[in-house]
Amino acid sequence: MASSTSVPAPRSRSKKPLGKMADWFRQALSRKPTKTPVSPENSRSDGSQPSSSDRPPALGPSSEASPTPPPTPTHLGAHGSSSSSSGRWSKDYDVCVCHSEEDLAAAQELVSYLEGSAAGLRCFLQLRDADPGGAIVSELCQALSNSHCRVLLITPGFLRDPWCRYQMLQALSEAPGAEGRTIPLMSGLSRAAYPAELRFMYFVNGWGPDGGFRQVKEAVTRYLQTLS
């Protein structure tokens, strides 16, 4: 006969009701995460932030609109004056002496007198002051341009030399009609031999410290006084 012993039924696992489970998930999802404020110190310590060398410098409110202008260069003259851009010190020489080759000794005598005077005139004598290796014509033109006055030694040798004629015409072209800048110093010639190109201006006649040299010095000094 079959046994009448009954087999016990399996236990049922305890489960939360489905309604409560849905409420729990709904509450969990509805919660918003709280933000933790980040202090400036923490943000600086972050390795992903650029270093101080990579960051551009901070600009002030007016740094972009008004940049700092470059410094204005200051020109200094022979005496270290900041006003050298005008007046006597705006040029390198006070007098450029134009002469013939045979009158070199006479030109040196005139230059020595002018430079040794109380005015201390700065003279250009081409064979003494021209740059070695420079072109003769270029050196002359530059000297005439960088001199306030020009003295032309009008002698028989000057009139015979085509180069002296070029010097005379170049001196006149540098300052046409400028009173007191071109000073003819005539010696050993009659008035009739005075060049026609210079007939519109007076000349100094004579030679030596007590003659024409003194008049040339006074003429140059008088012109320089008009520049100050």
Side-chain angles (χ1 to χ4, degrees), residues 36-121:
T36 304
V38 180
S39 62
E41 290 77 6
N42 294 336
S43 63
R44 292 194 195 100
S45 61
D46 189 358
S48 62
Q49 294 295 327
S51 63
S52 58
S53 60
D54 297 332
R55 287 195 297 268
L59 297 176
S62 61
S63 59
E64 290 184 347
S66 57
T68 304
T72 303
T74 302
H75 300 284
L76 297 179
H79 287 195
S81 173
S82 60
S83 61
S84 63
S85 58
S86 62
R88 178 183 179 183
W89 310 111
S90 61
K91 294 183 179 295
D92 295 336
Y93 301 98
D94 299 321
V95 185
C96 178
V97 179
C98 301
H99 61 90
S100 67
E101 186 175 355
E102 63 184 76
D103 294 326
L104 176 59
Q108 290 174 333
E109 183 182 355
L110 172 63
V111 168
S112 178
Y113 173 84
L114 296 177
E115 292 179 339
S117 64
L121 300 178

Side-chain angles (χ1 to χ4, degrees), residues 18-210:
L18 294 177
K20 291 184 178 181
M21 291 286 292
D23 291 339
W24 183 82
F25 279 111
R26 192 179 299 111
Q27 291 178 5
L29 294 175
S30 63
R31 293 175 185 172
K32 296 181 178 180
T34 58
K35 296 181 179 180
T36 304
V38 180
S39 62
E41 290 77 6
N42 294 336
S43 63
R44 292 194 195 100
S45 61
D46 189 358
S48 62
Q49 294 295 327
S51 63
S52 58
S53 60
D54 297 332
R55 287 195 297 268
L59 297 176
S62 61
S63 59
E64 290 184 347
S66 57
T68 304
T72 303
T74 302
H75 300 284
L76 297 179
H79 287 195
S81 173
S82 60
S83 61
S84 63
S85 58
S86 62
R88 178 183 179 183
W89 310 111
S90 61
K91 294 183 179 295
D92 295 336
Y93 301 98
D94 299 321
V95 185
C96 178
V97 179
C98 301
H99 61 90
S100 67
E101 186 175 355
E102 63 184 76
D103 294 326
L104 176 59
Q108 290 174 333
E109 183 182 355
L110 172 63
V111 168
S112 178
Y113 173 84
L114 296 177
E115 292 179 339
S117 64
L121 300 178
R122 302 166 300 161
C123 299
F124 178 87
L125 193 62
Q126 189 165 12
L127 293 180
R128 181 192 69 177
D129 300 316
D131 291 335
I136 296 177
V137 175
S138 299
E139 290 292 321
L140 172 67
C141 295
Q142 186 174 357
L144 291 173
S145 178
N146 289 333
S147 302
H148 289 293
C149 300
R150 297 98 185 185
V151 176
L152 306 177
L153 298 186
I154 311 297
T155 64
F158 188 94
L159 297 181
R160 290 192 299 264
D161 193 343
W163 169 244
C164 292
R165 178 177 174 81
Y166 177 83
Q167 294 182 68
M168 177 182 65
L169 296 178
Q170 190 65 30
L172 293 175
S173 66
E174 284 289 336
E179 295 184 0
R181 296 196 63 184
T182 302
I183 306 169
L185 175 58
M186 194 165 67
S187 177
L189 292 171
S190 64
R191 186 180 295 269
Y194 189 57
E197 294 85 354
L198 303 176
R199 293 290 172 90
F200 65 93
M201 63 178 62
Y202 290 107
F203 62 89
V204 176
N205 193 9
W207 197 257
D210 298 330

